[in-house]
Amino acid sequence: MQCPKDRKTTLMDGTLMGQLPVLCCPDCQGAWLPPQSYGEWQEHQPSVDDPSELIDRVLETDATPSPTDGIASLCPACKCYLARVKVSTKTPFYLERCPNCKGIWCDRGEWEVLEKTGLHRIIDRLFSTEWQALVRERELFAQERRATIEKLGPELAARIFELAEVLAQHPNGDFGVAYLMRRFDQ
Ligand SMILES: [Zn+2]
Ligand SMILES: [Zn+2]
């Protein structure tokens, strides 16, 4: 099997984390995760309880995209175009997956970022529209927080966030929100 990026280097047997058998490119250091070996490994991983928390972690993570990240490529197994999905680290990068055989390609360094953030357990989910919608929601939420910190300063912003949390958990929290809105309507 050839590297999907340069289409001439032969992929070699390797493992990720010493337990997931993959095919590695000795040239660009990318890794091909055969669908069966990823599926079997994934079955033994703990499930993800709070995807929002995971996405927030991703948004805060630094990543340096590999030079091969921008190259469109064909599946090394069945030659379909690989589908790309954005991973929204501070500098985003793209993961690739074959829509046909479901094999996954990670450019150099991408698996390490996935592992650090916990996304490595759910790579298949990242390609779903539900996941992408949730990412956009968390991105907006993070933007709003940043804007609030910018306008109010970190101390007051922290008090606002805390108050929002308290109100959200209080059974009559909406009364508090209504009070604040009325207070500033005048
Ligand atoms: Zn390569
Ligand atoms: Zn394929």
Side-chain angles (χ1 to χ4, degrees):
M1 216 182 269
Q2 315 296 309
C3 170
K5 294 294 166 169
D6 69 11
R7 299 178 200 177
K8 58 176 203 271
T9 309
T10 302
L11 300 176
M12 315 215 325
D13 286 334
T15 55
L16 291 173
M17 309 188 310
Q19 40 177 280
L20 170 55
V22 296
L23 293 167
C24 300
C25 176
D27 183 34
C28 70
Q29 320 280 308
W32 177 250
L33 285 55
Q36 205 185 345
S37 89
Y38 181 69
E40 277 166 16
W41 172 84
Q42 195 183 26
E43 270 175 33
H44 297 100
Q45 300 306 307
S47 62
V48 169
D49 301 324
D50 188 354
S52 302
E53 192 196 318
L54 218 102
I55 292 169
D56 293 347
R57 205 183 304 158
V58 173
L59 294 172
E60 290 296 310
T61 299
D62 286 310
T64 312
S66 148
T68 49
D69 190 46
I71 304 173
S73 29
L74 303 176
C75 173
C78 61
K79 309 297 172 201
C80 283
Y81 262 106
L82 297 180
R84 289 157 64 80
V85 74
K86 185 163 92 172
V87 179
S88 300
T89 39
K90 281 185 192 165
T91 308
F93 64 91
Y94 289 83
L95 267 183
E96 287 155 287
R97 190 173 72 141
C98 175
N100 185 44
C101 71
K102 314 294 183 200
I104 297 158
W105 175 260
C106 294
D107 294 302
R108 185 185 67 205
E110 291 180 355
W111 175 267
E112 286 69 20
V113 175
L114 297 177
E115 191 188 335
K116 197 163 111 186
T117 53
L119 289 183
H120 64 318
R121 288 179 274 154
I122 50 161
I123 294 178
D124 43 352
R125 258 168 87 181
L126 310 185
F127 287 82
S128 71
T129 47
E130 291 85 358
W131 184 268
Q132 291 304 309
L134 189 57
V135 170
R136 277 192 295 277
E137 193 186 300
R138 301 309 296 178
E139 272 174 333
L140 280 176
F141 182 70
Q143 266 168 28
E144 246 170 33
R145 280 178 81 95
R146 272 198 302 274
T148 307
I149 293 169
E150 216 171 90
K151 296 280 182 197
L152 301 181
E155 267 173 50
L156 183 53
R159 286 166 72 183
I160 298 288
F161 299 150
E162 197 194 333
L163 180 60
E165 219 36 63
V166 173
L167 289 174
Q169 275 160 32
H170 193 282
N172 294 324
D174 52 336
F175 280 83
V177 177
Y179 169 79
L180 285 172
M181 288 177 68
R182 271 198 310 276
R183 183 76 178 64
F184 291 99
D185 255 0
Q186 289 157 11

